[in-house]
Amino acid sequence: MANDVVFDYDAIETTASTMGNKLADIAAELTNLKTTVANLLQNGLVFEKASPAMTDAYNQFSNQLDASAKNIDEYAKMFQNFATEMANSDDQITNDVNAAAAEAAANAEG
């Protein structure tokens, strides 16, 4: 039987942590991009009618990027929660097996 289930808790934690760190990097870059584009549309690429439309379009695009970036955090949390739940499940299975073994031993003696 192949390894159908493998839990590498360190890999899960490392991945979740990396995702969180990269999210911070992405958020900082998005903020820088917003400022750069805002400056361009206010000072370097100005049209009477088109500039407000470009600003609105970029703001919508930027908001979508922000929302997507926040999903990275949600995935990181999901991985961390999954690892925690699996560890808790492993502990519970161990406790149940030990209790059943103790009960079986007690029944065999009595």
Side-chain angles (χ1 to χ4, degrees):
M1 179 180 204
N3 290 335
D4 292 336
V5 178
V6 175
F7 295 102
D8 184 337
Y9 295 104
D10 290 335
I12 294 168
E13 182 57 38
T14 298
T15 299
S17 178
T18 299
M19 292 175 78
N21 292 338
K22 293 300 179 184
L23 173 60
D25 295 344
I26 291 167
E29 288 298 321
L30 289 176
T31 298
N32 289 339
L33 284 172
K34 285 180 199 177
T35 301
T36 301
V37 171
N39 287 335
L40 175 67
L41 294 177
Q42 292 170 1
N43 302 311
L45 181 62
V46 179
F47 295 96
E48 181 181 338
K49 295 178 184 175
S51 289
M54 287 189 288
T55 298
D56 288 345
Y58 184 76
N59 287 339
Q60 288 178 353
F61 171 68
S62 182
N63 290 339
Q64 291 170 348
L65 289 175
D66 287 340
S68 294
K70 287 177 184 167
N71 285 332
I72 293 170
D73 188 47
E74 294 303 316
Y75 274 96
K77 288 177 185 174
M78 178 188 68
F79 291 143
Q80 289 171 326
N81 290 340
F82 190 69
T84 299
E85 290 301 317
M86 289 299 99
N88 291 343
S89 178
D90 189 32
D91 289 343
Q92 185 61 50
I93 291 169
T94 300
N95 292 339
D96 291 348
V97 168
N98 288 338
E103 183 178 335
N107 289 339
E109 292 175 3

XYZ file of all heavy atoms in Angstrom:
818
model
N 0.853 -1.185 0.000
C 0.000 0.000 0.000
C 0.895 1.243 0.000
O 1.824 1.362 0.792
C -0.893 -0.019 1.238
C -1.796 1.164 1.352
S -2.759 0.949 2.885
C -4.145 1.912 2.500
N 0.617 2.147 -0.880
C 1.397 3.385 -0.990
C 1.088 4.317 0.176
O 0.120 4.127 0.900
C 1.066 4.088 -2.309
N 1.932 5.300 0.356
C 1.686 6.314 1.390
C 0.559 7.234 0.932
O 0.798 8.244 0.273
C 2.942 7.145 1.653
C 4.012 6.352 2.353
O 3.724 5.383 3.033
N 5.251 6.759 2.205
N -0.654 6.866 1.281
C -1.817 7.646 0.867
C -1.967 8.921 1.673
O -2.584 9.870 1.223
C -3.098 6.810 0.987
C -3.130 5.669 -0.011
O -2.452 5.763 -1.049
O -3.834 4.688 0.252
N -1.433 8.920 2.878
C -1.547 10.083 3.749
C -0.177 10.339 4.376
O 0.398 9.448 4.986
C -2.599 9.868 4.860
C -2.665 11.077 5.774
C -3.962 9.576 4.252
N 0.311 11.554 4.184
C 1.574 11.961 4.788
C 1.378 13.348 5.365
O 0.798 14.219 4.712
C 2.718 11.994 3.748
C 4.000 12.534 4.358
C 2.943 10.626 3.140
N 1.840 13.551 6.583
C 1.762 14.866 7.219
C 3.157 15.279 7.646
O 3.726 14.668 8.545
C 0.825 14.860 8.431
C -0.597 14.605 8.070
C -1.159 13.363 8.258
C -1.373 15.616 7.527
C -2.471 13.121 7.907
C -2.687 15.388 7.187
C -3.237 14.143 7.367
N 3.681 16.253 6.986
C 4.978 16.815 7.367
C 4.679 18.153 8.026
O 4.531 19.177 7.361
C 5.866 16.982 6.133
C 7.259 17.472 6.472
O 7.447 18.086 7.549
O 8.163 17.249 5.644
N 4.546 18.120 9.347
C 4.135 19.317 10.082
C 5.106 20.478 9.877
O 4.686 21.625 9.763
C 3.966 18.994 11.571
C 2.841 18.017 11.824
C 3.102 16.685 12.112
C 1.520 18.432 11.752
C 2.060 15.794 12.333
C 0.475 17.546 11.983
C 0.750 16.226 12.269
O -0.275 15.350 12.485
N 6.400 20.162 9.823
C 7.389 21.229 9.597
C 7.207 21.865 8.224
O 7.285 23.087 8.086
C 8.816 20.694 9.739
C 9.172 20.335 11.175
O 8.556 20.905 12.106
O 10.067 19.486 11.365
N 6.954 21.044 7.213
C 6.750 21.580 5.864
C 5.483 22.431 5.798
O 5.468 23.474 5.141
C 6.681 20.448 4.840
N 4.453 21.979 6.489
C 3.206 22.747 6.510
C 3.436 24.093 7.172
O 3.046 25.138 6.658
C 2.085 21.956 7.227
C 1.717 20.707 6.426
C 0.862 22.849 7.445
C 0.842 19.726 7.187
N 4.115 24.092 8.319
C 4.380 25.342 9.039
C 5.291 26.264 8.238
O 5.065 27.475 8.167
C 5.004 25.045 10.416
C 5.262 26.284 11.235
C 4.022 27.140 11.483
O 2.934 26.582 11.694
O 4.144 28.377 11.460
N 6.314 25.691 7.611
C 7.231 26.496 6.797
C 6.495 27.135 5.634
O 6.684 28.325 5.343
C 8.398 25.624 6.282
O 9.122 25.134 7.412
C 9.329 26.411 5.383
N 5.648 26.376 4.982
C 4.889 26.901 3.847
C 3.947 28.012 4.295
O 3.886 29.071 3.669
C 4.095 25.774 3.157
O 5.021 24.795 2.682
C 3.265 26.306 2.007
N 3.237 27.796 5.377
C 2.310 28.811 5.885
C 3.067 30.080 6.273
O 2.620 31.196 5.978
C 1.521 28.267 7.071
N 4.202 29.898 6.915
C 5.005 31.049 7.322
C 5.532 31.806 6.105
O 5.494 33.051 6.067
C 6.172 30.575 8.191
O 6.983 31.670 8.553
N 6.006 31.085 5.116
C 6.497 31.707 3.888
C 5.385 32.494 3.205
O 5.600 33.612 2.730
C 7.065 30.644 2.924
O 8.158 29.988 3.566
C 7.537 31.266 1.623
N 4.200 31.908 3.177
C 3.065 32.601 2.560
C 2.772 33.906 3.289
O 2.529 34.939 2.660
C 1.839 31.692 2.535
C 1.995 30.517 1.596
S 0.600 29.371 1.689
C -0.611 30.270 0.717
N 2.809 33.871 4.615
C 2.571 35.081 5.394
C 3.627 36.133 5.134
O 3.318 37.323 4.980
N 4.890 35.707 5.074
C 5.974 36.654 4.793
C 5.847 37.255 3.398
O 6.064 38.457 3.212
C 7.336 35.968 4.945
C 7.636 35.595 6.374
O 7.086 36.162 7.312
N 8.506 34.616 6.557
N 5.531 36.425 2.432
C 5.393 36.916 1.063
C 4.195 37.848 0.938
O 4.222 38.798 0.155
C 5.273 35.752 0.066
C 6.525 34.922 -0.044
C 7.707 35.751 -0.504
C 8.958 34.916 -0.585
N 10.137 35.707 -0.928
N 3.154 37.581 1.713
C 1.997 38.473 1.703
C 2.412 39.872 2.123
O 1.994 40.860 1.519
C 0.887 37.954 2.614
C -0.304 38.885 2.802
C -0.977 39.190 1.456
C -1.295 38.296 3.767
N 3.246 39.963 3.139
C 3.726 41.279 3.586
C 4.503 41.967 2.470
O 4.341 43.171 2.236
C 4.590 41.129 4.834
N 5.334 41.193 1.760
C 6.095 41.754 0.634
C 5.154 42.234 -0.472
O 5.328 43.323 -1.017
C 7.050 40.706 0.044
C 8.146 40.288 1.007
O 8.377 41.011 2.011
O 8.769 39.237 0.757
N 4.170 41.407 -0.792
C 3.220 41.745 -1.856
C 2.426 42.988 -1.481
O 2.234 43.881 -2.306
C 2.285 40.550 -2.148
C 3.071 39.417 -2.809
C 1.105 40.969 -3.017
C 2.321 38.094 -2.855
N 1.967 43.051 -0.236
C 1.182 44.206 0.210
C 2.001 45.485 0.089
O 1.491 46.524 -0.358
C 0.712 43.999 1.647
N 3.280 45.429 0.464
C 4.143 46.608 0.360
C 4.324 47.014 -1.101
O 4.270 48.211 -1.443
C 5.499 46.328 1.007
N 4.520 46.048 -1.967
C 4.686 46.345 -3.392
C 3.408 46.933 -3.994
O 3.460 47.859 -4.806
C 5.101 45.094 -4.169
C 6.527 44.661 -3.913
C 7.548 45.713 -4.349
O 7.356 46.362 -5.397
O 8.536 45.896 -3.615
N 2.263 46.399 -3.595
C 1.002 46.940 -4.104
C 0.811 48.390 -3.664
O 0.355 49.230 -4.446
C -0.178 46.082 -3.642
C -0.289 44.701 -4.287
C -1.439 43.916 -3.660
C -0.467 44.807 -5.793
N 1.181 48.691 -2.432
C 1.092 50.068 -1.940
C 2.005 50.981 -2.753
O 1.597 52.076 -3.160
C 1.455 50.133 -0.442
O 0.507 49.343 0.272
C 1.418 51.557 0.068
N 3.226 50.517 -3.008
C 4.154 51.306 -3.826
C 3.616 51.529 -5.238
O 3.733 52.631 -5.788
C 5.524 50.626 -3.897
C 6.273 50.683 -2.590
O 6.005 51.525 -1.738
N 7.221 49.769 -2.418
N 3.039 50.483 -5.807
C 2.476 50.606 -7.154
C 1.318 51.596 -7.189
O 1.198 52.387 -8.126
C 2.009 49.246 -7.676
C 3.110 48.305 -8.133
C 2.519 46.928 -8.439
C 3.827 48.857 -9.350
N 0.468 51.551 -6.178
C -0.656 52.496 -6.120
C -0.146 53.925 -6.115
O -0.672 54.781 -6.834
C -1.497 52.258 -4.861
C -2.378 51.058 -4.908
C -3.150 50.961 -3.588
C -3.677 49.574 -3.386
N -4.361 49.426 -2.098
N 0.863 54.187 -5.304
C 1.426 55.538 -5.211
C 2.053 55.948 -6.538
O 1.838 57.076 -7.015
C 2.483 55.599 -4.083
O 1.849 55.238 -2.863
C 3.086 56.982 -3.961
N 2.799 55.041 -7.144
C 3.453 55.331 -8.427
C 2.435 55.633 -9.510
O 2.573 56.624 -10.251
C 4.349 54.143 -8.840
O 5.326 53.922 -7.827
C 5.037 54.401 -10.164
N 1.416 54.812 -9.605
C 0.387 55.014 -10.632
C -0.403 56.288 -10.355
O -0.692 57.061 -11.273
C -0.536 53.780 -10.750
C -1.731 54.075 -11.648
C 0.252 52.590 -11.282
N -0.725 56.536 -9.103
C -1.458 57.762 -8.754
C -0.651 58.993 -9.157
O -1.203 59.938 -9.744
C -1.771 57.794 -7.263
N 0.648 58.977 -8.873
C 1.495 60.101 -9.272
C 1.543 60.261 -10.782
O 1.494 61.381 -11.301
C 2.914 59.937 -8.715
C 2.976 60.174 -7.231
O 2.147 60.877 -6.661
N 3.967 59.574 -6.577
N 1.654 59.159 -11.491
C 1.667 59.217 -12.956
C 0.384 59.824 -13.485
O 0.416 60.729 -14.329
C 1.862 57.813 -13.545
C 1.762 57.727 -15.076
C 2.935 58.459 -15.713
C 1.682 56.293 -15.521
N -0.739 59.339 -12.972
C -2.023 59.809 -13.500
C -2.357 61.241 -13.056
O -3.218 61.885 -13.656
C -3.138 58.846 -13.085
C -3.024 57.443 -13.705
C -4.130 56.534 -13.174
C -3.050 57.487 -15.228
N -1.672 61.734 -12.053
C -1.895 63.119 -11.616
C -0.890 64.090 -12.223
O -1.187 65.278 -12.364
C -1.823 63.218 -10.090
C -2.974 62.524 -9.407
C -2.771 62.416 -7.894
O -1.778 62.876 -7.352
N -3.717 61.778 -7.222
N 0.295 63.582 -12.582
C 1.351 64.486 -13.014
C 1.998 64.155 -14.351
O 2.497 65.053 -15.018
C 2.464 64.537 -11.948
C 1.938 64.967 -10.600
O 1.244 65.954 -10.488
N 2.262 64.196 -9.565
N 2.038 62.895 -14.724
C 2.802 62.519 -15.910
C 1.986 62.009 -17.070
O 2.501 61.867 -18.182
N 0.750 61.718 -16.847
C -0.135 61.228 -17.904
C -1.525 61.770 -17.604
O -2.363 61.100 -17.016
C -0.142 59.687 -17.922
C -0.992 59.003 -18.988
C -0.502 59.368 -20.395
C -0.969 57.499 -18.788
N -1.712 63.012 -17.978
C -2.925 63.712 -17.587
C -3.748 64.046 -18.826
O -3.263 64.691 -19.750
C -2.590 65.005 -16.807
C -3.861 65.741 -16.411
C -1.739 64.685 -15.586
N -4.972 63.586 -18.801
C -5.954 63.931 -19.822
C -7.186 64.449 -19.092
O -7.550 63.926 -18.040
C -6.353 62.698 -20.653
C -5.235 62.122 -21.471
C -4.499 61.046 -20.986
C -4.936 62.644 -22.718
C -3.481 60.499 -21.735
C -3.916 62.084 -23.482
C -3.178 61.011 -22.993
N -7.818 65.409 -19.669
C -8.978 66.017 -19.013
C -10.050 64.993 -18.683
O -10.567 64.943 -17.572
C -9.554 67.136 -19.892
C -10.742 67.843 -19.269
C -11.313 68.926 -20.175
O -10.598 69.420 -21.047
O -12.492 69.229 -19.998
N -10.382 64.161 -19.659
C -11.472 63.198 -19.462
C -10.966 61.787 -19.167
O -11.577 61.065 -18.376
C -12.369 63.178 -20.696
C -13.098 64.483 -20.926
C -13.934 64.430 -22.190
C -14.592 65.782 -22.452
N -15.310 65.802 -23.705
N -9.884 61.401 -19.800
C -9.411 60.022 -19.673
C -8.748 59.745 -18.322
O -8.839 58.629 -17.809
C -8.452 59.679 -20.806
N -8.076 60.740 -17.754
C -7.360 60.497 -16.491
C -8.275 60.028 -15.368
O -7.944 59.058 -14.680
C -6.580 61.734 -16.061
O -5.478 61.923 -16.929
N -9.429 60.668 -15.151
C -10.326 60.141 -14.104
C -10.791 58.706 -14.393
O -10.880 57.877 -13.476
C -11.501 61.107 -14.102
C -10.948 62.382 -14.660
C -9.923 61.948 -15.674
N -11.044 58.397 -15.654
C -11.462 57.035 -16.013
C -10.331 56.053 -15.776
O -10.557 54.937 -15.258
C -11.909 56.984 -17.475
N -9.098 56.433 -16.143
C -7.954 55.551 -15.906
C -7.724 55.359 -14.407
O -7.414 54.252 -13.958
C -6.693 56.110 -16.569
C -6.703 55.963 -18.084
S -5.113 56.375 -18.848
C -5.095 58.164 -18.668
N -7.895 56.434 -13.640
C -7.734 56.332 -12.188
C -8.767 55.384 -11.599
O -8.430 54.509 -10.793
C -7.854 57.730 -11.531
O -6.808 58.563 -12.034
C -7.765 57.650 -10.028
N -10.010 55.519 -12.010
C -11.061 54.621 -11.517
C -10.773 53.171 -11.900
O -10.918 52.265 -11.074
C -12.426 55.041 -12.056
C -12.943 56.315 -11.430
O -12.400 56.739 -10.381
O -13.890 56.908 -12.000
N -10.377 52.965 -13.160
C -10.092 51.605 -13.629
C -8.920 51.011 -12.852
O -8.963 49.845 -12.435
C -9.793 51.617 -15.119
N -7.875 51.800 -12.635
C -6.729 51.288 -11.896
C -7.098 50.998 -10.436
O -6.663 49.994 -9.871
C -5.522 52.233 -11.943
C -4.346 51.613 -11.245
C -3.613 50.604 -11.866
C -4.022 51.950 -9.939
C -2.578 49.976 -11.213
C -2.988 51.319 -9.272
C -2.256 50.330 -9.912
O -1.242 49.698 -9.247
N -7.897 51.854 -9.840
C -8.326 51.625 -8.462
C -9.114 50.322 -8.335
O -8.933 49.564 -7.372
C -9.139 52.803 -7.931
C -8.273 54.006 -7.644
O -7.062 53.893 -7.454
N -8.889 55.183 -7.617
N -9.987 50.053 -9.295
C -10.736 48.786 -9.278
C -9.782 47.596 -9.413
O -9.892 46.605 -8.683
C -11.773 48.755 -10.398
C -12.948 49.670 -10.156
C -13.937 49.658 -11.322
O -13.683 49.070 -12.369
N -15.066 50.319 -11.127
N -8.845 47.719 -10.350
C -7.854 46.668 -10.549
C -7.032 46.458 -9.282
O -6.814 45.332 -8.833
C -6.948 47.050 -11.726
C -5.758 46.156 -11.910
C -5.906 44.845 -12.320
C -4.470 46.637 -11.673
C -4.801 44.021 -12.485
C -3.366 45.825 -11.843
C -3.531 44.512 -12.252
N -6.596 47.542 -8.685
C -5.790 47.489 -7.462
C -6.563 46.837 -6.319
O -6.010 46.033 -5.552
C -5.345 48.901 -7.078
O -4.539 48.875 -5.944
N -7.838 47.162 -6.200
C -8.675 46.544 -5.165
C -8.796 45.043 -5.372
O -8.807 44.268 -4.406
C -10.055 47.196 -5.120
C -10.000 48.605 -4.573
O -9.069 48.989 -3.882
N -11.012 49.402 -4.911
N -8.880 44.626 -6.630
C -8.937 43.195 -6.929
C -7.628 42.510 -6.538
O -7.635 41.405 -5.988
C -9.230 42.964 -8.409
C -10.630 43.358 -8.822
C -10.824 43.352 -10.334
O -9.874 43.270 -11.094
N -12.082 43.462 -10.763
N -6.512 43.180 -6.808
C -5.217 42.621 -6.416
C -5.108 42.503 -4.896
O -4.606 41.499 -4.378
C -4.072 43.486 -6.945
C -3.824 43.444 -8.445
C -2.728 44.441 -8.827
C -3.446 42.043 -8.892
N -5.573 43.534 -4.198
C -5.558 43.495 -2.729
C -6.367 42.314 -2.208
O -5.931 41.599 -1.296
C -6.116 44.791 -2.134
C -5.176 45.970 -2.272
O -3.969 45.761 -2.477
O -5.667 47.111 -2.168
N -7.540 42.121 -2.780
C -8.396 41.017 -2.346
C -7.730 39.671 -2.627
O -7.764 38.766 -1.783
C -9.755 41.098 -3.040
N -7.105 39.553 -3.788
C -6.405 38.307 -4.120
C -5.235 38.074 -3.172
O -5.007 36.944 -2.731
C -5.910 38.348 -5.562
O -6.999 38.358 -6.441
N -4.504 39.127 -2.874
C -3.369 38.988 -1.958
C -3.839 38.526 -0.587
O -3.185 37.693 0.053
C -2.615 40.317 -1.856
N -4.957 39.029 -0.134
C -5.473 38.631 1.180
C -5.835 37.152 1.213
O -5.811 36.519 2.273
C -6.662 39.499 1.571
C -6.221 40.901 1.943
C -7.381 41.807 2.269
C -6.849 43.215 2.525
N -7.872 44.215 2.546
N -6.149 36.590 0.051
C -6.451 35.159 -0.001
C -5.224 34.321 0.345
O -5.360 33.195 0.829
C -6.996 34.765 -1.378
C -8.425 35.213 -1.559
O -9.168 35.344 -0.594
N -8.808 35.468 -2.791
N -4.030 34.867 0.095
C -2.810 34.158 0.471
C -2.817 33.911 1.978
O -2.493 32.823 2.441
C -1.563 34.954 0.043
C -1.463 35.005 -1.487
C -0.287 34.359 0.645
C -0.408 35.964 -2.000
N -3.200 34.924 2.725
C -3.264 34.795 4.183
C -4.286 33.742 4.591
O -4.049 32.963 5.525
C -3.603 36.149 4.813
C -3.484 36.122 6.322
O -2.466 35.605 6.835
O -4.401 36.625 6.994
N -5.400 33.707 3.894
C -6.430 32.714 4.211
C -5.916 31.292 3.970
O -6.190 30.382 4.759
C -7.706 32.974 3.409
C -8.405 34.267 3.789
C -8.761 34.341 5.268
O -9.268 33.345 5.827
O -8.495 35.398 5.873
N -5.172 31.102 2.885
C -4.596 29.776 2.628
C -3.563 29.417 3.687
O -3.505 28.275 4.144
C -3.973 29.700 1.225
C -4.978 29.342 0.165
C -5.598 30.320 -0.590
C -5.317 28.010 -0.061
C -6.535 29.985 -1.553
C -6.252 27.667 -1.028
C -6.858 28.660 -1.767
O -7.778 28.333 -2.716
N -2.739 30.382 4.070
C -1.739 30.122 5.119
C -2.433 29.687 6.404
O -2.014 28.714 7.048
C -0.888 31.367 5.351
N -3.484 30.401 6.778
C -4.237 30.034 7.987
C -4.864 28.656 7.842
O -4.897 27.870 8.788
C -5.320 31.067 8.264
C -4.781 32.389 8.773
C -5.901 33.387 8.963
C -5.364 34.750 9.365
N -6.438 35.761 9.420
N -5.374 28.350 6.650
C -5.981 27.047 6.413
C -4.950 25.936 6.616
O -5.231 24.933 7.278
C -6.545 26.960 4.998
C -7.163 25.609 4.661
S -7.615 25.426 2.931
C -6.015 25.417 2.138
N -3.734 26.126 6.079
C -2.695 25.115 6.258
C -2.344 24.950 7.737
O -2.205 23.828 8.230
C -1.436 25.472 5.461
C -1.608 25.367 3.971
C -0.996 26.277 3.139
C -2.366 24.362 3.395
C -1.139 26.188 1.760
C -2.524 24.267 2.019
C -1.904 25.182 1.199
N -2.197 26.065 8.453
C -1.877 26.001 9.880
C -2.988 25.307 10.661
O -2.714 24.461 11.529
C -1.626 27.397 10.434
C -0.322 28.000 9.939
C -0.180 29.455 10.317
O -1.152 30.194 10.376
N 1.051 29.877 10.555
N -4.224 25.645 10.373
C -5.358 25.011 11.058
C -5.432 23.524 10.753
O -5.736 22.718 11.632
C -6.670 25.696 10.676
C -6.782 27.082 11.247
O -6.111 27.439 12.202
N -7.632 27.898 10.654
N -5.157 23.171 9.510
C -5.192 21.772 9.120
C -4.136 20.991 9.896
O -4.417 19.909 10.423
C -4.970 21.640 7.612
C -5.213 20.259 7.090
C -6.489 19.731 7.057
C -4.161 19.481 6.640
C -6.721 18.449 6.583
C -4.378 18.200 6.170
C -5.655 17.682 6.138
N -2.935 21.544 10.000
C -1.873 20.867 10.746
C -2.258 20.725 12.215
O -2.038 19.663 12.819
C -0.557 21.633 10.607
N -2.838 21.764 12.784
C -3.270 21.710 14.182
C -4.337 20.641 14.376
O -4.278 19.843 15.321
C -3.803 23.088 14.626
O -2.749 24.044 14.507
C -4.308 23.050 16.052
N -5.305 20.616 13.489
C -6.382 19.620 13.601
C -5.858 18.193 13.429
O -6.300 17.284 14.126
C -7.482 19.905 12.572
C -8.281 21.157 12.866
C -8.966 21.110 14.228
O -9.527 20.065 14.592
O -8.918 22.138 14.932
N -4.912 18.016 12.519
C -4.345 16.679 12.325
C -3.546 16.254 13.555
O -3.615 15.109 13.981
C -3.459 16.628 11.078
C -4.233 16.709 9.778
S -5.410 15.332 9.569
C -6.937 16.094 10.068
N -2.798 17.190 14.149
C -2.051 16.877 15.373
C -3.015 16.519 16.503
O -2.786 15.547 17.244
C -1.163 18.053 15.770
N -4.091 17.280 16.617
C -5.106 16.984 17.644
C -5.751 15.632 17.393
O -6.003 14.868 18.321
C -6.166 18.079 17.688
C -5.623 19.387 18.226
O -4.570 19.438 18.846
N -6.338 20.472 17.953
N -6.018 15.332 16.137
C -6.619 14.053 15.777
C -5.668 12.910 16.106
O -6.084 11.872 16.645
C -6.965 14.043 14.285
O -7.496 12.805 13.903
N -4.396 13.107 15.804
C -3.389 12.086 16.117
C -3.343 11.836 17.623
O -3.297 10.687 18.081
C -2.023 12.544 15.594
C -0.965 11.462 15.690
O -1.293 10.269 15.571
O 0.216 11.824 15.863
N -3.372 12.912 18.397
C -3.382 12.777 19.859
C -4.625 12.027 20.324
O -4.546 11.154 21.207
C -3.330 14.149 20.535
C -1.984 14.832 20.400
O -0.986 14.157 20.073
O -1.939 16.072 20.619
N -5.764 12.352 19.763
C -7.012 11.696 20.160
C -6.990 10.212 19.816
O -7.412 9.371 20.624
C -8.214 12.369 19.501
C -9.553 11.810 19.962
C -9.767 11.987 21.461
O -9.601 13.078 21.992
N -10.119 10.915 22.155
N -6.483 9.884 18.639
C -6.389 8.470 18.249
C -5.478 7.733 19.216
O -5.795 6.621 19.670
C -5.889 8.335 16.795
C -6.964 8.833 15.818
C -5.497 6.896 16.477
C -6.483 8.999 14.391
N -4.339 8.356 19.556
C -3.405 7.743 20.503
C -4.078 7.503 21.847
O -3.961 6.407 22.433
C -2.161 8.637 20.686
O -1.530 8.797 19.423
C -1.176 8.043 21.678
N -4.784 8.482 22.351
C -5.496 8.334 23.631
C -6.533 7.227 23.567
O -6.667 6.431 24.510
C -6.149 9.656 24.027
C -5.137 10.721 24.385
O -3.999 10.425 24.721
N -5.552 11.983 24.304
N -7.277 7.182 22.457
C -8.300 6.145 22.303
C -7.682 4.752 22.252
O -8.196 3.802 22.865
C -9.132 6.396 21.039
C -10.016 7.625 21.139
O -10.180 8.178 22.254
O -10.548 8.056 20.079
N -6.583 4.608 21.514
C -5.911 3.306 21.414
C -5.369 2.889 22.779
O -5.533 1.732 23.207
C -4.784 3.347 20.356
C -3.893 2.106 20.446
C -5.365 3.496 18.959
N -4.734 3.832 23.470
C -4.200 3.515 24.804
C -5.312 3.126 25.773
O -5.162 2.181 26.568
C -3.398 4.696 25.357
C -2.072 4.867 24.641
O -1.549 3.934 24.037
N -1.523 6.077 24.697
N -6.431 3.813 25.727
C -7.561 3.492 26.604
C -8.122 2.117 26.269
O -8.431 1.320 27.178
C -8.646 4.569 26.486
N -8.234 1.829 24.981
C -8.756 0.521 24.573
C -7.795 -0.591 24.991
O -8.226 -1.663 25.459
C -8.971 0.496 23.061
N -6.489 -0.341 24.845
C -5.498 -1.350 25.243
C -5.539 -1.574 26.750
O -5.454 -2.727 27.228
C -4.105 -0.918 24.803
N -5.670 -0.494 27.508
C -5.748 -0.616 28.979
C -6.996 -1.382 29.378
O -6.964 -2.240 30.281
C -5.726 0.773 29.613
N -8.110 -1.095 28.707
C -9.365 -1.787 29.021
C -9.247 -3.271 28.671
O -9.690 -4.154 29.422
C -10.522 -1.153 28.249
C -11.863 -1.776 28.580
C -13.020 -1.111 27.852
O -12.902 0.092 27.478
O -14.048 -1.772 27.670
N -8.637 -3.575 27.525
C -8.453 -4.962 27.123
C -7.562 -5.699 28.108
O -7.838 -6.860 28.479
C -7.875 -5.037 25.714
N -6.511 -5.035 28.556
C -5.614 -5.655 29.542
C -6.332 -5.913 30.861
O -6.172 -6.970 31.480
C -4.380 -4.772 29.758
N -7.156 -4.949 31.269
C -7.911 -5.098 32.523
C -8.903 -6.245 32.389
O -9.096 -7.036 33.337
C -8.622 -3.797 32.876
N -9.562 -6.343 31.250
C -10.531 -7.427 31.030
C -9.849 -8.789 30.976
O -10.412 -9.777 31.407
C -11.333 -7.184 29.747
C -12.307 -6.036 29.866
O -12.680 -5.650 30.979
N -12.713 -5.469 28.741
N -8.624 -8.817 30.428
C -7.915 -10.084 30.335
C -7.481 -10.570 31.715
O -7.401 -11.788 31.957
C -6.690 -9.913 29.427
N -7.199 -9.624 32.608
C -6.786 -9.985 33.982
C -7.976 -10.440 34.823
O -7.832 -11.212 35.751
C -6.099 -8.807 34.657
C -4.763 -8.469 34.045
C -4.145 -7.218 34.657
O -4.731 -6.633 35.606
O -3.090 -6.805 34.171
N -9.136 -9.848 34.515
C -10.278 -10.088 35.394
C -11.167 -11.116 34.900
O -11.568 -12.113 35.117
